[in-house]
Amino acid sequence: MTFRLAHLSDPHVGPLGRVRLHQLIGKRATGYANWRRGRSRSHDMTVLETLVADLKQQGAAHVACTGDLCNIGLPSEWETARTFLEALGSPETVSFVPGNHDAYVRGSLEGLLAACSRYTGDDSGSSGRFPYLRRRGPVALVGLSSAIPTKPFVATGRLGPPQLAAAESLLRALATEPGKPFRVVMIHHPPQPGGASSGRELKDAAAFTAMIARAGAELILHGHNHTTTSALVPGPDGRFVPVIGAPSASARPDGHGGLAARRASYLLYEITRNGAGYAVSARRRGLDAGGTVCDLGPIALD
């Protein structure tokens, strides 16, 4: 049987609720100014609603959401984020990992994870801890958090040695199971060196890719760059692992100069057991030049 997995990222759910002056301290002050100057007009909630409606018609067995539900990490955004995840589906059918906007200032990430904990639940029953493991059919979803609070005008991420070590142990163990599952790693920041510009990169990208070279995975999903990307990183035994980035699911059709790769969309993966391994394909669905949601063609995985 074919397992269909949808991948959606960076919805930046809005609008912002009432912002109190005492909340605009440090990075939130610059972030709020950026929101008022233009970011609020870059993300269209009608586009997001239309995209989610289309996604729900595609028969995906599971949805991976790779971060940035929030904008400036306000407490009022945590309930909005939970409501959005509920619109995507139940905690059994939706998995979430946080992004840098979800950890905008100290305390933001903890508040969001408390509100959305069921969407980060490990099969063991724990939640809000990373890495987590969720088994769905032939797929093993491994959720990582690269979300950390940073200084103004910085959007870097970091996994840290303990999370990397735990992820390696988990991926290695999955590889030795009978009927080895299809391992999907979810992370917000592009996890390969050079995957994002300076000031926006994953600080321990080299350590992550070294870990994947040892432990392996079948597919790595991320967001953050607000554009559709496809890359490869080395896995064990000379194999390569596809690394796929999704654009913002709420990007206005006339934003970013109308660049096709940046138009609001989501990705659909079809995973089918093929003998001792798996066959996987990917397609993109989203806005065309006229603003209509349609099939935008295949995504290269090799």
Side-chain angles (χ1 to χ4, degrees):
M1 293 181 63
T2 295
F3 186 93
R4 184 170 288 186
L5 174 67
H7 173 205
L8 175 146
S9 198
D10 297 78
H12 290 280
V13 184
L16 290 180
R18 181 182 178 187
V19 181
R20 300 183 181 278
L21 186 60
H22 74 272
Q23 295 174 318
L24 298 180
I25 297 174
K27 186 171 183 174
R28 274 206 190 118
T30 57
Y32 183 66
N34 287 337
W35 173 265
R36 293 293 300 271
R37 280 202 300 262
R39 181 177 285 273
S40 62
R41 293 183 292 280
S42 298
H43 297 281
D44 189 322
M45 295 304 103
T46 300
V47 166
L48 180 60
E49 183 179 352
T50 301
L51 210 66
V52 170
D54 184 82
L55 185 157
K56 293 174 78 69
Q57 294 175 1
Q58 302 307 312
H62 203 80
V63 180
C65 180
T66 51
D68 278 2
L69 298 182
C70 295
N71 295 286
I72 58 174
L74 289 167
S76 60
E77 294 186 88
W78 303 336
E79 181 65 21
T80 303
R82 185 182 65 80
T83 300
F84 170 74
L85 289 175
E86 288 175 346
L88 277 183
S90 70
E92 289 70 36
T93 60
V94 179
S95 294
F96 166 69
V97 295
N100 54 291
H101 280 264
D102 302 318
Y104 211 69
V105 298
R106 293 187 184 278
S108 291
L109 181 60
E110 292 77 6
L112 177 67
L113 292 179
C116 302
S117 62
R118 296 176 65 200
Y119 292 88
T120 64
D122 187 274
D123 285 347
S124 68
S126 66
S127 62
R129 298 179 181 179
F130 302 91
Y132 66 72
L133 170 63
R134 309 182 109 191
R135 299 173 186 268
R136 300 294 185 268
V139 172
L141 295 145
V142 177
L144 303 180
S145 175
S146 59
I148 56 171
T150 57
K151 296 178 181 178
F153 309 110
V154 176
T156 54
R158 180 179 287 108
L159 294 166
Q163 188 177 184
L164 281 165
E168 180 167 358
S169 296
L170 187 54
L171 290 167
R172 284 182 179 273
L174 289 167
T176 64
E177 290 184 357
K180 174 184 170 182
F182 187 92
R183 298 165 298 171
V184 177
V185 176
M186 302 174 296
I187 183 172
H188 178 69
H189 288 79
Q192 73 277 27
S197 58
S198 179
R200 304 186 73 255
E201 77 276 21
L202 182 70
K203 286 296 189 180
D204 42 10
F208 174 86
T209 52
M211 181 273 288
I212 292 296
R214 295 188 299 267
E218 280 62 61
L219 181 63
I220 301 170
L221 309 181
H222 70 85
H224 190 56
N225 282 345
H226 292 200
T227 188
T228 311
T229 58
S230 177
L232 295 169
V233 297
D237 305 322
R239 291 170 289 145
F240 287 87
V241 181
V243 179
I244 309 299
S248 167
S250 61
R252 292 179 58 89
D254 55 351
H256 303 290
L259 293 176
R262 288 183 171 269
R263 291 186 196 129
S265 56
Y266 64 92
L267 308 179
L268 278 173
Y269 306 88
E270 293 199 343
I271 301 160
T272 307
R273 187 172 286 279
N274 182 14
Y278 293 90
V280 58
S281 63
R283 301 193 69 81
R284 182 181 172 211
R285 286 191 65 83
L287 299 183
D288 63 13
T292 300
V293 178
C294 62
D295 188 316
L296 298 175
I299 303 293
L301 297 177
D302 52 25

